[in-house]
Amino acid sequence: MKEIGVALIGYNFMGRAHSNAYRQVKPFFEPRLRPRLKVLCGRNAAAVAEAAGRLGFEESATDWREVIGRKDIGLVDICTPSDSHAEIAIAAARAGKAVLCEKPLANSVKDAQAMLQAAARANVVHMVCHNYRRAPAVMLARRIIEEGRLGRIHHYRGAYLQDWLVDPAFPLTWRLRKEVAGSGALGDLAAHSIDLARFLVGEITEVTAALETFVKERPLPGQPKKKGKVTVDDAAAAVVRFANGALGTIEATRMAPGRKNHNRFEINGSLGSVAFDLERLNELQVFFRSDPGDVQGFRTVLATEADHHAYVKAWWPPGHALGYEHTFVHTVYDLLEAIADHKVPRPSFADGLANQQVLAAMEKAARTKRWVQV
Ligand SMILES: NC(=O)c1ccc[n+]([C@@H]2O[C@H](COP(=O)([O-])OP(=O)(O)OC[C@H]3O[C@@H](n4cnc5c(N)ncnc54)[C@H](O)[C@@H]3O)[C@@H](O)[C@H]2O)c1
């Protein structure tokens, strides 16, 4: 059994999700290429050493630059805030390593282009982590659409709603600073809705949008009496047109009380509809106009059948539901198989770049109050 050494950079929220995925993928999916958790990279030596032990890494390091060139590293996994994605990914690609990068791919179209170019030139495998594609219910929605069972697609309605910023006392962390995060709810949440829109409906060609920052100043982290300026959006709302003629809306906010991780889409076609909500991620709502009139209605499909639903056969019997973390296991499994075949999986850096172009068009549309071509 072949192994690939993994260096993972950034070990808080996403770092934990990814390291868990490498651990789980081995016993459940038995990939041809087995991930070996070699080095966890952070910035604080004591903290990263403690985390490395807890998360199952052999070593820890405080400078990713000293790690990515190592012979025993084959895959560099970037779980840092988006201002460092481009520098790390380009260096890793030039060192000949496969790269998995968290979303949004970068903070600008220019950086995203440079990342794709570096990965393509070095002929390395690259992937951006839009993990929600790999929820079995989302894969089912894609299959229903691909098989034409919804007919011609008219509407995509995407909303990604959270509520953790509604308290004005929430501190000015990196996600509220443009120089680190690039944008607010837009790059953080709408990026996922854009990826799902591209995955399920197709390319977005034209957008118009509005951005809003409701709380303009927030307390500095660790200094509750001092305030700093919020330089990103709290909320984004966009209307989009697709190449295939469909019309869509995409809304993202971190100020919707009661909505915790409400990543929802509804797609309406000439023959029926599908709807998904991440807070009920094992389910897909399905409506077919061809059903007999007296029993027509949205049905709830529990996407946990090994014979019908992607990834499920590696896990549990029907109805033994999956969770958020499984979407990362599925992502990592497909990445490892792609590396074994030396093929670029989706979503690739090209998808990350396309996503970035939509984000940039939405920012421009909000600024100019016009429709913008992507
Ligand atoms: N796919 C998803 O569903 C999803 C969910 C949340 C976050 N994300 C993305 O994951 C990335 C990280 O987000 P998070 O929520 O884990 O952030 P976080 O703040 O929880 O963790 C970031 C980590 O990166 C470390 N770090 C920062 N700069 C570093 C450097 N130069 N070298 C080494 N370590 C460094 C920090 O110390 C911290 O441990 C972001 O791009 C974010 O958009 C994706």
Side-chain angles (χ1 to χ4, degrees):
M1 188 69 70
K2 275 188 156 181
E3 281 191 342
I4 183 165
V6 179
L8 194 150
I9 307 163
Y11 57 86
N12 201 20
F13 178 20
M14 273 309 101
R16 283 190 293 137
H18 288 215
S19 36
N20 175 67
Y22 294 113
R23 288 195 308 270
Q24 289 204 359
V25 79
K26 281 199 268 187
F28 286 93
F29 283 84
E30 300 183 65
R32 283 170 287 157
L33 203 51
R34 303 201 129 207
R36 183 157 172 185
L37 295 180
K38 279 274 175 190
V39 193
L40 183 66
C41 301
R43 291 174 298 181
N44 176 305
V48 70
E50 183 278 324
R54 186 162 38 84
L55 298 174
F57 286 83
E58 293 171 14
E59 296 170 47
S60 63
T62 52
D63 188 354
W64 58 264
R65 289 172 190 82
E66 289 172 7
V67 174
I68 55 168
R70 274 173 45 165
K71 275 208 183 98
D72 59 348
I73 300 299
L75 168 62
V76 173
D77 185 338
I78 306 169
C79 293
T80 56
S82 43
D83 62 332
S84 53
H85 290 180
E87 189 189 4
I88 302 172
I90 291 168
R94 285 184 183 153
K97 313 301 179 186
V99 192
L100 173 62
C101 184
E102 259 306 335
K103 49 55 61 177
L105 186 61
N107 281 354
S108 68
V109 169
K110 196 168 155 240
D111 276 358
Q113 273 164 341
M115 292 166 82
L116 174 60
Q117 198 179 55
R121 272 203 189 136
N123 194 23
V124 296
V125 171
H126 48 92
M127 188 182 204
V128 59
C129 188
H130 281 293
N131 48 301
Y132 298 131
R133 287 188 181 205
R134 288 178 165 83
V138 173
M139 298 292 285
L140 173 61
R142 164 130 166 160
R143 195 172 72 218
I144 289 171
I145 293 167
E146 262 180 355
E147 289 175 358
R149 290 151 79 186
L150 294 192
R152 179 185 161 181
I153 303 302
H154 294 137
H155 294 290
Y156 174 83
R157 212 165 290 116
Y160 201 151
L161 317 177
Q162 298 180 342
D163 69 357
W164 54 279
L165 275 184
V166 76
D167 181 357
F170 188 92
L172 191 72
T173 56
W174 69 262
R175 280 194 162 82
L176 293 153
R177 292 167 44 215
K178 189 172 175 61
E179 71 276 20
V180 187
S183 63
L186 186 71
D188 187 16
L189 305 181
H192 278 305
S193 297
I194 292 166
D195 186 66
L196 289 172
R198 293 185 60 252
F199 182 55
L200 295 164
V201 180
E203 291 304 332
I204 295 172
T205 54
E206 201 183 11
V207 307
T208 188
L211 301 176
E212 189 54 64
T213 306
F214 300 111
V215 179
K216 310 239 186 277
E217 288 192 323
R218 289 181 179 272
L220 299 181
Q223 298 172 269
K225 290 201 174 119
K226 275 196 183 164
K227 282 195 170 181
K229 196 168 174 227
V230 174
T231 47
V232 300
D233 56 282
D234 286 328
V239 181
V240 307
R241 288 188 190 281
F242 291 84
N244 62 8
L247 185 64
T249 56
I250 290 176
E251 187 192 358
T253 180
R254 303 184 287 198
M255 298 186 72
R259 298 301 184 194
K260 301 300 170 183
N261 204 25
H262 192 79
N263 176 7
R264 185 170 194 281
F265 63 76
E266 179 168 312
I267 296 170
N268 311 120
S270 55
L271 302 179
S273 300
V274 292
F276 171 81
D277 172 5
L278 187 72
E279 289 176 349
R280 307 188 67 88
L281 70 77
N282 290 276
E283 299 173 0
L284 187 70
Q285 302 289 322
V286 182
F287 179 96
F288 290 123
R289 287 181 57 222
S290 56
D291 282 347
D294 58 343
V295 291
Q296 257 186 19
F298 271 97
R299 69 185 74 154
T300 302
V301 177
L302 194 58
T304 59
E305 298 289 334
D307 289 344
H308 298 291
H309 301 131
Y311 306 109
V312 171
K313 67 172 170 295
W315 297 108
W316 317 117
H320 294 61
L322 301 188
Y324 174 68
E325 73 274 25
H326 296 93
T327 62
F328 294 96
V329 184
H330 305 161
T331 301
V332 155
Y333 171 63
D334 287 341
L335 171 65
L336 292 166
E337 292 294 287
I339 297 172
D341 293 331
H342 200 74
K343 285 194 176 134
V344 175
R346 307 284 299 270
S348 65
F349 282 11
D351 291 295
L353 168 60
N355 196 306
Q356 207 78 44
Q357 285 164 332
V358 177
L359 292 172
M362 286 179 178
E363 281 190 309
K364 186 173 175 193
R367 213 170 43 242
T368 57
K369 300 189 176 174
R370 287 179 190 281
W371 279 88
V372 173
Q373 305 286 323
V374 177

PDB file of all heavy atoms in Angstrom, residues 328-346:
ATOM      1  N   PHE A 328     -15.882  16.310   4.398  1.00  0.00           N
ATOM      2  CA  PHE A 328     -14.424  16.462   4.254  1.00  0.00           C
ATOM      3  C   PHE A 328     -13.761  15.110   3.979  1.00  0.00           C
ATOM      4  O   PHE A 328     -12.802  15.033   3.215  1.00  0.00           O
ATOM      5  CB  PHE A 328     -13.822  17.104   5.517  1.00  0.00           C
ATOM      6  CG  PHE A 328     -14.274  18.526   5.717  1.00  0.00           C
ATOM      7  CD1 PHE A 328     -15.347  18.813   6.551  1.00  0.00           C
ATOM      8  CD2 PHE A 328     -13.645  19.569   5.053  1.00  0.00           C
ATOM      9  CE1 PHE A 328     -15.776  20.117   6.727  1.00  0.00           C
ATOM     10  CE2 PHE A 328     -14.068  20.878   5.223  1.00  0.00           C
ATOM     11  CZ  PHE A 328     -15.141  21.157   6.065  1.00  0.00           C
ATOM     12  N   VAL A 329     -14.271  14.062   4.609  1.00  0.00           N
ATOM     13  CA  VAL A 329     -13.703  12.724   4.352  1.00  0.00           C
ATOM     14  C   VAL A 329     -13.888  12.387   2.865  1.00  0.00           C
ATOM     15  O   VAL A 329     -12.967  11.899   2.204  1.00  0.00           O
ATOM     16  CB  VAL A 329     -14.361  11.644   5.244  1.00  0.00           C
ATOM     17  CG1 VAL A 329     -13.692  10.289   5.018  1.00  0.00           C
ATOM     18  CG2 VAL A 329     -14.295  12.021   6.717  1.00  0.00           C
ATOM     19  N   HIS A 330     -15.073  12.680   2.339  1.00  0.00           N
ATOM     20  CA  HIS A 330     -15.343  12.385   0.927  1.00  0.00           C
ATOM     21  C   HIS A 330     -14.439  13.203   0.006  1.00  0.00           C
ATOM     22  O   HIS A 330     -13.938  12.701  -1.010  1.00  0.00           O
ATOM     23  CB  HIS A 330     -16.821  12.671   0.595  1.00  0.00           C
ATOM     24  CG  HIS A 330     -17.778  11.937   1.486  1.00  0.00           C
ATOM     25  ND1 HIS A 330     -19.101  12.317   1.636  1.00  0.00           N
ATOM     26  CD2 HIS A 330     -17.612  10.852   2.295  1.00  0.00           C
ATOM     27  CE1 HIS A 330     -19.699  11.481   2.475  1.00  0.00           C
ATOM     28  NE2 HIS A 330     -18.809  10.598   2.892  1.00  0.00           N
ATOM     29  N   THR A 331     -14.223  14.462   0.379  1.00  0.00           N
ATOM     30  CA  THR A 331     -13.362  15.341  -0.418  1.00  0.00           C
ATOM     31  C   THR A 331     -11.941  14.780  -0.450  1.00  0.00           C
ATOM     32  O   THR A 331     -11.306  14.666  -1.507  1.00  0.00           O
ATOM     33  CB  THR A 331     -13.356  16.757   0.212  1.00  0.00           C
ATOM     34  OG1 THR A 331     -14.700  17.243   0.230  1.00  0.00           O
ATOM     35  CG2 THR A 331     -12.479  17.717  -0.574  1.00  0.00           C
ATOM     36  N   VAL A 332     -11.438  14.413   0.726  1.00  0.00           N
ATOM     37  CA  VAL A 332     -10.072  13.921   0.840  1.00  0.00           C
ATOM     38  C   VAL A 332      -9.931  12.570   0.115  1.00  0.00           C
ATOM     39  O   VAL A 332      -8.921  12.301  -0.528  1.00  0.00           O
ATOM     40  CB  VAL A 332      -9.710  13.831   2.344  1.00  0.00           C
ATOM     41  CG1 VAL A 332      -8.621  12.822   2.603  1.00  0.00           C
ATOM     42  CG2 VAL A 332      -9.318  15.210   2.869  1.00  0.00           C
ATOM     43  N   TYR A 333     -10.973  11.740   0.174  1.00  0.00           N
ATOM     44  CA  TYR A 333     -10.925  10.450  -0.529  1.00  0.00           C
ATOM     45  C   TYR A 333     -10.772  10.681  -2.041  1.00  0.00           C
ATOM     46  O   TYR A 333      -9.893  10.103  -2.688  1.00  0.00           O
ATOM     47  CB  TYR A 333     -12.187   9.627  -0.243  1.00  0.00           C
ATOM     48  CG  TYR A 333     -12.286   8.389  -1.102  1.00  0.00           C
ATOM     49  CD1 TYR A 333     -11.317   7.384  -1.000  1.00  0.00           C
ATOM     50  CD2 TYR A 333     -13.304   8.234  -2.035  1.00  0.00           C
ATOM     51  CE1 TYR A 333     -11.368   6.263  -1.802  1.00  0.00           C
ATOM     52  CE2 TYR A 333     -13.358   7.113  -2.837  1.00  0.00           C
ATOM     53  CZ  TYR A 333     -12.398   6.129  -2.723  1.00  0.00           C
ATOM     54  OH  TYR A 333     -12.444   5.030  -3.531  1.00  0.00           O
ATOM     55  N   ASP A 334     -11.616  11.553  -2.588  1.00  0.00           N
ATOM     56  CA  ASP A 334     -11.542  11.807  -4.030  1.00  0.00           C
ATOM     57  C   ASP A 334     -10.205  12.444  -4.402  1.00  0.00           C
ATOM     58  O   ASP A 334      -9.664  12.185  -5.486  1.00  0.00           O
ATOM     59  CB  ASP A 334     -12.711  12.705  -4.465  1.00  0.00           C
ATOM     60  CG  ASP A 334     -14.028  11.927  -4.465  1.00  0.00           C
ATOM     61  OD1 ASP A 334     -13.992  10.684  -4.500  1.00  0.00           O
ATOM     62  OD2 ASP A 334     -15.094  12.564  -4.399  1.00  0.00           O
ATOM     63  N   LEU A 335      -9.675  13.282  -3.523  1.00  0.00           N
ATOM     64  CA  LEU A 335      -8.364  13.895  -3.793  1.00  0.00           C
ATOM     65  C   LEU A 335      -7.277  12.814  -3.835  1.00  0.00           C
ATOM     66  O   LEU A 335      -6.447  12.791  -4.753  1.00  0.00           O
ATOM     67  CB  LEU A 335      -8.046  14.934  -2.706  1.00  0.00           C
ATOM     68  CG  LEU A 335      -6.620  15.491  -2.738  1.00  0.00           C
ATOM     69  CD1 LEU A 335      -6.361  16.286  -4.021  1.00  0.00           C
ATOM     70  CD2 LEU A 335      -6.352  16.382  -1.517  1.00  0.00           C
ATOM     71  N   LEU A 336      -7.280  11.913  -2.859  1.00  0.00           N
ATOM     72  CA  LEU A 336      -6.241  10.875  -2.805  1.00  0.00           C
ATOM     73  C   LEU A 336      -6.315   9.964  -4.028  1.00  0.00           C
ATOM     74  O   LEU A 336      -5.290   9.588  -4.607  1.00  0.00           O
ATOM     75  CB  LEU A 336      -6.380  10.058  -1.514  1.00  0.00           C
ATOM     76  CG  LEU A 336      -6.049  10.821  -0.227  1.00  0.00           C
ATOM     77  CD1 LEU A 336      -6.535  10.037   0.993  1.00  0.00           C
ATOM     78  CD2 LEU A 336      -4.546  11.096  -0.113  1.00  0.00           C
ATOM     79  N   GLU A 337      -7.526   9.614  -4.436  1.00  0.00           N
ATOM     80  CA  GLU A 337      -7.683   8.772  -5.627  1.00  0.00           C
ATOM     81  C   GLU A 337      -7.188   9.516  -6.868  1.00  0.00           C
ATOM     82  O   GLU A 337      -6.555   8.928  -7.750  1.00  0.00           O
ATOM     83  CB  GLU A 337      -9.148   8.350  -5.799  1.00  0.00           C
ATOM     84  CG  GLU A 337      -9.636   7.399  -4.707  1.00  0.00           C
ATOM     85  CD  GLU A 337      -8.937   6.038  -4.757  1.00  0.00           C
ATOM     86  OE1 GLU A 337      -9.223   5.244  -5.658  1.00  0.00           O
ATOM     87  OE2 GLU A 337      -8.082   5.795  -3.878  1.00  0.00           O
ATOM     88  N   ALA A 338      -7.459  10.821  -6.924  1.00  0.00           N
ATOM     89  CA  ALA A 338      -7.004  11.623  -8.070  1.00  0.00           C
ATOM     90  C   ALA A 338      -5.475  11.687  -8.100  1.00  0.00           C
ATOM     91  O   ALA A 338      -4.869  11.583  -9.170  1.00  0.00           O
ATOM     92  CB  ALA A 338      -7.596  13.033  -7.982  1.00  0.00           C
ATOM     93  N   ILE A 339      -4.867  11.830  -6.925  1.00  0.00           N
ATOM     94  CA  ILE A 339      -3.394  11.869  -6.885  1.00  0.00           C
ATOM     95  C   ILE A 339      -2.842  10.519  -7.356  1.00  0.00           C
ATOM     96  O   ILE A 339      -1.878  10.462  -8.124  1.00  0.00           O
ATOM     97  CB  ILE A 339      -2.882  12.227  -5.466  1.00  0.00           C
ATOM     98  CG1 ILE A 339      -3.337  13.634  -5.066  1.00  0.00           C
ATOM     99  CG2 ILE A 339      -1.349  12.154  -5.421  1.00  0.00           C
ATOM    100  CD1 ILE A 339      -3.053  13.996  -3.610  1.00  0.00           C
ATOM    101  N   ALA A 340      -3.483   9.428  -6.919  1.00  0.00           N
ATOM    102  CA  ALA A 340      -3.027   8.090  -7.329  1.00  0.00           C
ATOM    103  C   ALA A 340      -3.073   7.949  -8.855  1.00  0.00           C
ATOM    104  O   ALA A 340      -2.220   7.307  -9.459  1.00  0.00           O
ATOM    105  CB  ALA A 340      -3.890   7.021  -6.661  1.00  0.00           C
ATOM    106  N   ASP A 341      -4.068   8.569  -9.478  1.00  0.00           N
ATOM    107  CA  ASP A 341      -4.216   8.486 -10.945  1.00  0.00           C
ATOM    108  C   ASP A 341      -3.543   9.641 -11.673  1.00  0.00           C
ATOM    109  O   ASP A 341      -3.652   9.757 -12.893  1.00  0.00           O
ATOM    110  CB  ASP A 341      -5.718   8.511 -11.316  1.00  0.00           C
ATOM    111  CG  ASP A 341      -6.434   7.260 -10.848  1.00  0.00           C
ATOM    112  OD1 ASP A 341      -5.784   6.208 -10.762  1.00  0.00           O
ATOM    113  OD2 ASP A 341      -7.647   7.351 -10.550  1.00  0.00           O
ATOM    114  N   HIS A 342      -2.932  10.538 -10.922  1.00  0.00           N
ATOM    115  CA  HIS A 342      -2.393  11.812 -11.438  1.00  0.00           C
ATOM    116  C   HIS A 342      -3.405  12.544 -12.328  1.00  0.00           C
ATOM    117  O   HIS A 342      -3.138  12.946 -13.459  1.00  0.00           O
ATOM    118  CB  HIS A 342      -1.058  11.639 -12.166  1.00  0.00           C
ATOM    119  CG  HIS A 342      -0.340  12.968 -12.212  1.00  0.00           C
ATOM    120  ND1 HIS A 342       0.273  13.519 -11.112  1.00  0.00           N
ATOM    121  CD2 HIS A 342      -0.231  13.899 -13.191  1.00  0.00           C
ATOM    122  CE1 HIS A 342       0.745  14.704 -11.424  1.00  0.00           C
ATOM    123  NE2 HIS A 342       0.449  14.968 -12.678  1.00  0.00           N
ATOM    124  N   LYS A 343      -4.588  12.725 -11.750  1.00  0.00           N
ATOM    125  CA  LYS A 343      -5.654  13.480 -12.435  1.00  0.00           C
ATOM    126  C   LYS A 343      -6.063  14.630 -11.532  1.00  0.00           C
ATOM    127  O   LYS A 343      -5.988  14.497 -10.297  1.00  0.00           O
ATOM    128  CB  LYS A 343      -6.863  12.587 -12.659  1.00  0.00           C
ATOM    129  CG  LYS A 343      -6.653  11.594 -13.761  1.00  0.00           C
ATOM    130  CD  LYS A 343      -7.987  10.979 -14.164  1.00  0.00           C
ATOM    131  CE  LYS A 343      -7.803  10.050 -15.347  1.00  0.00           C
ATOM    132  NZ  LYS A 343      -8.476   8.790 -15.210  1.00  0.00           N
ATOM    133  N   VAL A 344      -6.513  15.730 -12.115  1.00  0.00           N
ATOM    134  CA  VAL A 344      -6.955  16.865 -11.294  1.00  0.00           C
ATOM    135  C   VAL A 344      -8.434  16.684 -10.960  1.00  0.00           C
ATOM    136  O   VAL A 344      -9.264  16.580 -11.866  1.00  0.00           O
ATOM    137  CB  VAL A 344      -6.726  18.195 -12.035  1.00  0.00           C
ATOM    138  CG1 VAL A 344      -7.287  19.361 -11.233  1.00  0.00           C
ATOM    139  CG2 VAL A 344      -5.228  18.405 -12.279  1.00  0.00           C
ATOM    140  N   PRO A 345      -8.786  16.597  -9.669  1.00  0.00           N
ATOM    141  CA  PRO A 345     -10.189  16.407  -9.299  1.00  0.00           C
ATOM    142  C   PRO A 345     -10.949  17.742  -9.353  1.00  0.00           C
ATOM    143  O   PRO A 345     -10.338  18.793  -9.490  1.00  0.00           O
ATOM    144  CB  PRO A 345     -10.098  15.904  -7.861  1.00  0.00           C
ATOM    145  CG  PRO A 345      -8.854  16.549  -7.316  1.00  0.00           C
ATOM    146  CD  PRO A 345      -7.915  16.729  -8.484  1.00  0.00           C
ATOM    147  N   ARG A 346     -12.246  17.698  -9.234  1.00  0.00           N
ATOM    148  CA  ARG A 346     -13.059  18.915  -9.104  1.00  0.00           C
ATOM    149  C   ARG A 346     -13.537  19.029  -7.665  1.00  0.00           C
ATOM    150  O   ARG A 346     -13.755  18.008  -7.040  1.00  0.00           O
ATOM    151  CB  ARG A 346     -14.279  18.845 -10.024  1.00  0.00           C
ATOM    152  CG  ARG A 346     -13.945  18.538 -11.451  1.00  0.00           C
ATOM    153  CD  ARG A 346     -13.361  19.701 -12.209  1.00  0.00           C
ATOM    154  NE  ARG A 346     -14.228  20.863 -12.310  1.00  0.00           N
ATOM    155  CZ  ARG A 346     -15.109  21.076 -13.293  1.00  0.00           C
ATOM    156  NH1 ARG A 346     -15.244  20.211 -14.256  1.00  0.00           N
ATOM    157  NH2 ARG A 346     -15.849  22.182 -13.305  1.00  0.00           N
TER     158      ARG A 346
END
